PDB file of all heavy atoms in Angstrom:
ATOM      1  N   HIS K 120     -31.732  45.869 -29.313  1.00  0.00           N
ATOM      2  CA  HIS K 120     -31.297  46.272 -30.646  1.00  0.00           C
ATOM      3  C   HIS K 120     -32.273  47.356 -31.098  1.00  0.00           C
ATOM      4  O   HIS K 120     -33.465  47.282 -30.786  1.00  0.00           O
ATOM      5  CB  HIS K 120     -31.343  45.067 -31.591  1.00  0.00           C
ATOM      6  CG  HIS K 120     -30.721  45.327 -32.917  1.00  0.00           C
ATOM      7  ND1 HIS K 120     -31.354  46.041 -33.896  1.00  0.00           N
ATOM      8  CD2 HIS K 120     -29.512  44.975 -33.416  1.00  0.00           C
ATOM      9  CE1 HIS K 120     -30.578  46.120 -34.956  1.00  0.00           C
ATOM     10  NE2 HIS K 120     -29.446  45.470 -34.695  1.00  0.00           N
ATOM     11  N   GLU K 122     -33.646  47.893 -33.851  1.00  0.00           N
ATOM     12  CA  GLU K 122     -34.688  47.411 -34.756  1.00  0.00           C
ATOM     13  C   GLU K 122     -35.477  46.301 -34.067  1.00  0.00           C
ATOM     14  O   GLU K 122     -34.894  45.368 -33.511  1.00  0.00           O
ATOM     15  CB  GLU K 122     -34.074  46.910 -36.060  1.00  0.00           C
ATOM     16  CG  GLU K 122     -33.429  48.031 -36.862  1.00  0.00           C
ATOM     17  CD  GLU K 122     -32.834  47.538 -38.159  1.00  0.00           C
ATOM     18  OE1 GLU K 122     -33.330  46.532 -38.714  1.00  0.00           O
ATOM     19  OE2 GLU K 122     -31.867  48.159 -38.608  1.00  0.00           O
ATOM     20  N   THR K 123     -36.787  46.399 -34.139  1.00  0.00           N
ATOM     21  CA  THR K 123     -37.676  45.450 -33.484  1.00  0.00           C
ATOM     22  C   THR K 123     -37.397  44.014 -33.922  1.00  0.00           C
ATOM     23  O   THR K 123     -37.200  43.750 -35.098  1.00  0.00           O
ATOM     24  CB  THR K 123     -39.132  45.820 -33.816  1.00  0.00           C
ATOM     25  OG1 THR K 123     -39.362  47.148 -33.374  1.00  0.00           O
ATOM     26  CG2 THR K 123     -40.103  44.897 -33.118  1.00  0.00           C
ATOM     27  N   GLY K 124     -37.380  43.101 -32.947  1.00  0.00           N
ATOM     28  CA  GLY K 124     -37.233  41.680 -33.232  1.00  0.00           C
ATOM     29  C   GLY K 124     -35.809  41.171 -33.347  1.00  0.00           C
ATOM     30  O   GLY K 124     -35.586  39.996 -33.608  1.00  0.00           O
ATOM     31  N   HIS K 125     -34.830  42.039 -33.128  1.00  0.00           N
ATOM     32  CA  HIS K 125     -33.434  41.633 -33.277  1.00  0.00           C
ATOM     33  C   HIS K 125     -32.763  41.296 -31.950  1.00  0.00           C
ATOM     34  O   HIS K 125     -31.554  41.124 -31.891  1.00  0.00           O
ATOM     35  CB  HIS K 125     -32.645  42.716 -34.011  1.00  0.00           C
ATOM     36  CG  HIS K 125     -32.993  42.817 -35.469  1.00  0.00           C
ATOM     37  ND1 HIS K 125     -32.059  43.049 -36.431  1.00  0.00           N
ATOM     38  CD2 HIS K 125     -34.173  42.705 -36.132  1.00  0.00           C
ATOM     39  CE1 HIS K 125     -32.637  43.085 -37.622  1.00  0.00           C
ATOM     40  NE2 HIS K 125     -33.927  42.883 -37.448  1.00  0.00           N
ATOM     41  N   GLY K 126     -33.534  41.229 -30.865  1.00  0.00           N
ATOM     42  CA  GLY K 126     -32.982  40.801 -29.588  1.00  0.00           C
ATOM     43  C   GLY K 126     -32.372  41.919 -28.769  1.00  0.00           C
ATOM     44  O   GLY K 126     -32.699  43.092 -28.945  1.00  0.00           O
ATOM     45  N   PHE K 127     -31.463  41.537 -27.869  1.00  0.00           N
ATOM     46  CA  PHE K 127     -30.805  42.530 -27.016  1.00  0.00           C
ATOM     47  C   PHE K 127     -29.373  42.113 -26.715  1.00  0.00           C
ATOM     48  O   PHE K 127     -28.955  41.000 -27.020  1.00  0.00           O
ATOM     49  CB  PHE K 127     -31.607  42.782 -25.729  1.00  0.00           C
ATOM     50  CG  PHE K 127     -31.710  41.608 -24.797  1.00  0.00           C
ATOM     51  CD1 PHE K 127     -30.780  41.433 -23.774  1.00  0.00           C
ATOM     52  CD2 PHE K 127     -32.753  40.698 -24.900  1.00  0.00           C
ATOM     53  CE1 PHE K 127     -30.886  40.367 -22.898  1.00  0.00           C
ATOM     54  CE2 PHE K 127     -32.873  39.633 -24.018  1.00  0.00           C
ATOM     55  CZ  PHE K 127     -31.930  39.467 -23.019  1.00  0.00           C
ATOM     56  N   ARG K 137     -22.569  40.097 -24.303  1.00  0.00           N
ATOM     57  CA  ARG K 137     -23.415  38.965 -24.677  1.00  0.00           C
ATOM     58  C   ARG K 137     -24.531  39.472 -25.594  1.00  0.00           C
ATOM     59  O   ARG K 137     -25.210  40.444 -25.270  1.00  0.00           O
ATOM     60  CB  ARG K 137     -24.056  38.324 -23.448  1.00  0.00           C
ATOM     61  CG  ARG K 137     -23.098  37.941 -22.359  1.00  0.00           C
ATOM     62  CD  ARG K 137     -22.425  36.651 -22.654  1.00  0.00           C
ATOM     63  NE  ARG K 137     -21.767  36.183 -21.431  1.00  0.00           N
ATOM     64  CZ  ARG K 137     -20.758  35.363 -21.430  1.00  0.00           C
ATOM     65  NH1 ARG K 137     -20.277  34.890 -22.560  1.00  0.00           N
ATOM     66  NH2 ARG K 137     -20.225  34.980 -20.296  1.00  0.00           N
ATOM     67  N   VAL K 138     -24.701  38.799 -26.728  1.00  0.00           N
ATOM     68  CA  VAL K 138     -25.759  39.131 -27.676  1.00  0.00           C
ATOM     69  C   VAL K 138     -26.792  38.024 -27.628  1.00  0.00           C
ATOM     70  O   VAL K 138     -26.456  36.852 -27.778  1.00  0.00           O
ATOM     71  CB  VAL K 138     -25.199  39.272 -29.109  1.00  0.00           C
ATOM     72  CG1 VAL K 138     -26.316  39.545 -30.103  1.00  0.00           C
ATOM     73  CG2 VAL K 138     -24.141  40.372 -29.169  1.00  0.00           C
ATOM     74  N   LEU K 139     -28.048  38.376 -27.420  1.00  0.00           N
ATOM     75  CA  LEU K 139     -29.135  37.400 -27.391  1.00  0.00           C
ATOM     76  C   LEU K 139     -30.116  37.748 -28.502  1.00  0.00           C
ATOM     77  O   LEU K 139     -30.805  38.760 -28.440  1.00  0.00           O
ATOM     78  CB  LEU K 139     -29.823  37.413 -26.028  1.00  0.00           C
ATOM     79  CG  LEU K 139     -28.878  36.885 -24.953  1.00  0.00           C
ATOM     80  CD1 LEU K 139     -28.302  38.017 -24.153  1.00  0.00           C
ATOM     81  CD2 LEU K 139     -29.566  35.900 -24.102  1.00  0.00           C
ATOM     82  N   ALA K 140     -30.114  36.915 -29.537  1.00  0.00           N
ATOM     83  CA  ALA K 140     -30.968  37.137 -30.701  1.00  0.00           C
ATOM     84  C   ALA K 140     -31.261  35.788 -31.340  1.00  0.00           C
ATOM     85  O   ALA K 140     -30.590  34.795 -31.056  1.00  0.00           O
ATOM     86  CB  ALA K 140     -30.274  38.061 -31.698  1.00  0.00           C
ATOM     87  N   THR K 141     -32.256  35.775 -32.215  1.00  0.00           N
ATOM     88  CA  THR K 141     -32.598  34.523 -32.887  1.00  0.00           C
ATOM     89  C   THR K 141     -31.522  34.095 -33.867  1.00  0.00           C
ATOM     90  O   THR K 141     -31.408  32.927 -34.192  1.00  0.00           O
ATOM     91  CB  THR K 141     -33.945  34.646 -33.629  1.00  0.00           C
ATOM     92  OG1 THR K 141     -33.861  35.753 -34.525  1.00  0.00           O
ATOM     93  CG2 THR K 141     -35.071  34.845 -32.646  1.00  0.00           C
ATOM     94  N   ARG K 142     -30.735  35.044 -34.356  1.00  0.00           N
ATOM     95  CA  ARG K 142     -29.576  34.750 -35.203  1.00  0.00           C
ATOM     96  C   ARG K 142     -28.596  35.910 -35.078  1.00  0.00           C
ATOM     97  O   ARG K 142     -28.959  36.990 -34.612  1.00  0.00           O
ATOM     98  CB  ARG K 142     -29.996  34.522 -36.648  1.00  0.00           C
ATOM     99  CG  ARG K 142     -30.733  35.661 -37.267  1.00  0.00           C
ATOM    100  CD  ARG K 142     -31.148  35.304 -38.686  1.00  0.00           C
ATOM    101  NE  ARG K 142     -32.052  36.326 -39.159  1.00  0.00           N
ATOM    102  CZ  ARG K 142     -33.067  36.100 -39.938  1.00  0.00           C
ATOM    103  NH1 ARG K 142     -33.333  34.897 -40.350  1.00  0.00           N
ATOM    104  NH2 ARG K 142     -33.842  37.083 -40.334  1.00  0.00           N
ATOM    105  N   PRO K 143     -27.324  35.715 -35.486  1.00  0.00           N
ATOM    106  CA  PRO K 143     -26.334  36.799 -35.352  1.00  0.00           C
ATOM    107  C   PRO K 143     -26.791  38.063 -36.079  1.00  0.00           C
ATOM    108  O   PRO K 143     -27.393  37.983 -37.149  1.00  0.00           O
ATOM    109  CB  PRO K 143     -25.078  36.211 -35.996  1.00  0.00           C
ATOM    110  CG  PRO K 143     -25.254  34.742 -35.912  1.00  0.00           C
ATOM    111  CD  PRO K 143     -26.733  34.492 -36.016  1.00  0.00           C
ATOM    112  N   TRP K 144     -26.499  39.229 -35.482  1.00  0.00           N
ATOM    113  CA  TRP K 144     -26.966  40.496 -36.038  1.00  0.00           C
ATOM    114  C   TRP K 144     -26.441  40.742 -37.442  1.00  0.00           C
ATOM    115  O   TRP K 144     -27.107  41.340 -38.262  1.00  0.00           O
ATOM    116  CB  TRP K 144     -26.600  41.639 -35.110  1.00  0.00           C
ATOM    117  CG  TRP K 144     -27.470  41.682 -33.900  1.00  0.00           C
ATOM    118  CD1 TRP K 144     -28.619  40.961 -33.696  1.00  0.00           C
ATOM    119  CD2 TRP K 144     -27.284  42.444 -32.733  1.00  0.00           C
ATOM    120  NE1 TRP K 144     -29.158  41.248 -32.470  1.00  0.00           N
ATOM    121  CE2 TRP K 144     -28.352  42.157 -31.850  1.00  0.00           C
ATOM    122  CE3 TRP K 144     -26.332  43.351 -32.325  1.00  0.00           C
ATOM    123  CZ2 TRP K 144     -28.483  42.757 -30.610  1.00  0.00           C
ATOM    124  CZ3 TRP K 144     -26.462  43.948 -31.092  1.00  0.00           C
ATOM    125  CH2 TRP K 144     -27.527  43.640 -30.242  1.00  0.00           C
ATOM    126  N   ASN K 145     -25.231  40.275 -37.762  1.00  0.00           N
ATOM    127  CA  ASN K 145     -24.707  40.516 -39.106  1.00  0.00           C
ATOM    128  C   ASN K 145     -25.515  39.756 -40.155  1.00  0.00           C
ATOM    129  O   ASN K 145     -25.533  40.129 -41.315  1.00  0.00           O
ATOM    130  CB  ASN K 145     -23.223  40.187 -39.204  1.00  0.00           C
ATOM    131  CG  ASN K 145     -22.923  38.722 -38.936  1.00  0.00           C
ATOM    132  OD1 ASN K 145     -23.782  37.980 -38.465  1.00  0.00           O
ATOM    133  ND2 ASN K 145     -21.703  38.316 -39.222  1.00  0.00           N
ATOM    134  N   GLN K 146     -26.217  38.682 -39.779  1.00  0.00           N
ATOM    135  CA  GLN K 146     -27.068  37.973 -40.726  1.00  0.00           C
ATOM    136  C   GLN K 146     -28.277  38.817 -41.114  1.00  0.00           C
ATOM    137  O   GLN K 146     -28.743  38.746 -42.236  1.00  0.00           O
ATOM    138  CB  GLN K 146     -27.539  36.634 -40.154  1.00  0.00           C
ATOM    139  CG  GLN K 146     -26.462  35.588 -40.177  1.00  0.00           C
ATOM    140  CD  GLN K 146     -27.012  34.226 -39.773  1.00  0.00           C
ATOM    141  OE1 GLN K 146     -28.200  34.047 -39.522  1.00  0.00           O
ATOM    142  NE2 GLN K 146     -26.119  33.254 -39.717  1.00  0.00           N
ATOM    143  N   TYR K 147     -28.788  39.637 -40.188  1.00  0.00           N
ATOM    144  CA  TYR K 147     -29.900  40.522 -40.517  1.00  0.00           C
ATOM    145  C   TYR K 147     -29.451  41.521 -41.574  1.00  0.00           C
ATOM    146  O   TYR K 147     -30.151  41.792 -42.531  1.00  0.00           O
ATOM    147  CB  TYR K 147     -30.401  41.276 -39.279  1.00  0.00           C
ATOM    148  CG  TYR K 147     -31.151  40.411 -38.301  1.00  0.00           C
ATOM    149  CD1 TYR K 147     -30.548  39.969 -37.126  1.00  0.00           C
ATOM    150  CD2 TYR K 147     -32.468  40.048 -38.531  1.00  0.00           C
ATOM    151  CE1 TYR K 147     -31.239  39.185 -36.222  1.00  0.00           C
ATOM    152  CE2 TYR K 147     -33.168  39.266 -37.628  1.00  0.00           C
ATOM    153  CZ  TYR K 147     -32.549  38.839 -36.482  1.00  0.00           C
ATOM    154  OH  TYR K 147     -33.236  38.083 -35.583  1.00  0.00           O
ATOM    155  N   GLN K 148     -28.264  42.072 -41.411  1.00  0.00           N
ATOM    156  CA  GLN K 148     -27.726  43.040 -42.351  1.00  0.00           C
ATOM    157  C   GLN K 148     -27.510  42.378 -43.711  1.00  0.00           C
ATOM    158  O   GLN K 148     -27.875  42.924 -44.734  1.00  0.00           O
ATOM    159  CB  GLN K 148     -26.420  43.633 -41.829  1.00  0.00           C
ATOM    160  CG  GLN K 148     -25.867  44.717 -42.727  1.00  0.00           C
ATOM    161  CD  GLN K 148     -24.582  45.299 -42.178  1.00  0.00           C
ATOM    162  OE1 GLN K 148     -23.902  44.689 -41.372  1.00  0.00           O
ATOM    163  NE2 GLN K 148     -24.251  46.483 -42.617  1.00  0.00           N
ATOM    164  N   ASN K 149     -26.953  41.174 -43.731  1.00  0.00           N
ATOM    165  CA  ASN K 149     -26.724  40.463 -44.995  1.00  0.00           C
ATOM    166  C   ASN K 149     -28.040  40.131 -45.671  1.00  0.00           C
ATOM    167  O   ASN K 149     -28.149  40.201 -46.889  1.00  0.00           O
ATOM    168  CB  ASN K 149     -25.928  39.173 -44.750  1.00  0.00           C
ATOM    169  CG  ASN K 149     -24.514  39.449 -44.258  1.00  0.00           C
ATOM    170  OD1 ASN K 149     -23.990  40.545 -44.478  1.00  0.00           O
ATOM    171  ND2 ASN K 149     -23.916  38.486 -43.600  1.00  0.00           N
ATOM    172  N   LEU K 150     -29.065  39.793 -44.901  1.00  0.00           N
ATOM    173  CA  LEU K 150     -30.375  39.481 -45.456  1.00  0.00           C
ATOM    174  C   LEU K 150     -30.985  40.712 -46.109  1.00  0.00           C
ATOM    175  O   LEU K 150     -31.511  40.645 -47.217  1.00  0.00           O
ATOM    176  CB  LEU K 150     -31.297  38.947 -44.353  1.00  0.00           C
ATOM    177  CG  LEU K 150     -32.712  38.558 -44.775  1.00  0.00           C
ATOM    178  CD1 LEU K 150     -32.662  37.359 -45.715  1.00  0.00           C
ATOM    179  CD2 LEU K 150     -33.547  38.223 -43.560  1.00  0.00           C
ATOM    180  N   GLU K 151     -30.879  41.866 -45.448  1.00  0.00           N
ATOM    181  CA  GLU K 151     -31.421  43.105 -46.010  1.00  0.00           C
ATOM    182  C   GLU K 151     -30.703  43.480 -47.285  1.00  0.00           C
ATOM    183  O   GLU K 151     -31.311  43.927 -48.255  1.00  0.00           O
ATOM    184  CB  GLU K 151     -31.310  44.244 -44.980  1.00  0.00           C
ATOM    185  CG  GLU K 151     -32.268  44.086 -43.813  1.00  0.00           C
ATOM    186  CD  GLU K 151     -31.998  45.050 -42.688  1.00  0.00           C
ATOM    187  OE1 GLU K 151     -31.099  45.918 -42.832  1.00  0.00           O
ATOM    188  OE2 GLU K 151     -32.694  44.971 -41.665  1.00  0.00           O
ATOM    189  N   GLN K 152     -29.365  43.290 -47.342  1.00  0.00           N
ATOM    190  CA  GLN K 152     -28.603  43.616 -48.544  1.00  0.00           C
ATOM    191  C   GLN K 152     -28.982  42.710 -49.699  1.00  0.00           C
ATOM    192  O   GLN K 152     -29.042  43.128 -50.838  1.00  0.00           O
ATOM    193  CB  GLN K 152     -27.099  43.508 -48.257  1.00  0.00           C
ATOM    194  CG  GLN K 152     -26.600  44.620 -47.373  1.00  0.00           C
ATOM    195  CD  GLN K 152     -25.149  44.409 -46.955  1.00  0.00           C
ATOM    196  OE1 GLN K 152     -24.570  43.365 -47.191  1.00  0.00           O
ATOM    197  NE2 GLN K 152     -24.565  45.426 -46.339  1.00  0.00           N
ATOM    198  N   SER K 153     -29.266  41.439 -49.423  1.00  0.00           N
ATOM    199  CA  SER K 153     -29.616  40.505 -50.498  1.00  0.00           C
ATOM    200  C   SER K 153     -31.001  40.785 -51.047  1.00  0.00           C
ATOM    201  O   SER K 153     -31.308  40.418 -52.185  1.00  0.00           O
ATOM    202  CB  SER K 153     -29.524  39.061 -49.999  1.00  0.00           C
ATOM    203  OG  SER K 153     -30.528  38.796 -49.063  1.00  0.00           O
ATOM    204  N   LEU K 154     -31.868  41.444 -50.282  1.00  0.00           N
ATOM    205  CA  LEU K 154     -33.216  41.763 -50.744  1.00  0.00           C
ATOM    206  C   LEU K 154     -33.239  43.001 -51.642  1.00  0.00           C
ATOM    207  O   LEU K 154     -34.216  43.229 -52.352  1.00  0.00           O
ATOM    208  CB  LEU K 154     -34.159  41.978 -49.561  1.00  0.00           C
ATOM    209  CG  LEU K 154     -34.424  40.734 -48.695  1.00  0.00           C
ATOM    210  CD1 LEU K 154     -35.261  41.115 -47.482  1.00  0.00           C
ATOM    211  CD2 LEU K 154     -35.114  39.652 -49.495  1.00  0.00           C
TER     212      LEU K 154
END
Side-chain angles (χ1 to χ4, degrees):
H120 189 283
E122 294 181 28
T123 302
H125 289 219
F127 65 92
R137 307 280 193 204
V138 177
L139 292 102
T141 56
R142 58 182 170 216
W144 285 349
N145 62 348
Q146 284 187 3
Y147 288 103
Q148 184 179 21
N149 294 338
L150 181 66
E151 289 170 4
Q152 289 173 351
S153 68
L154 294 174

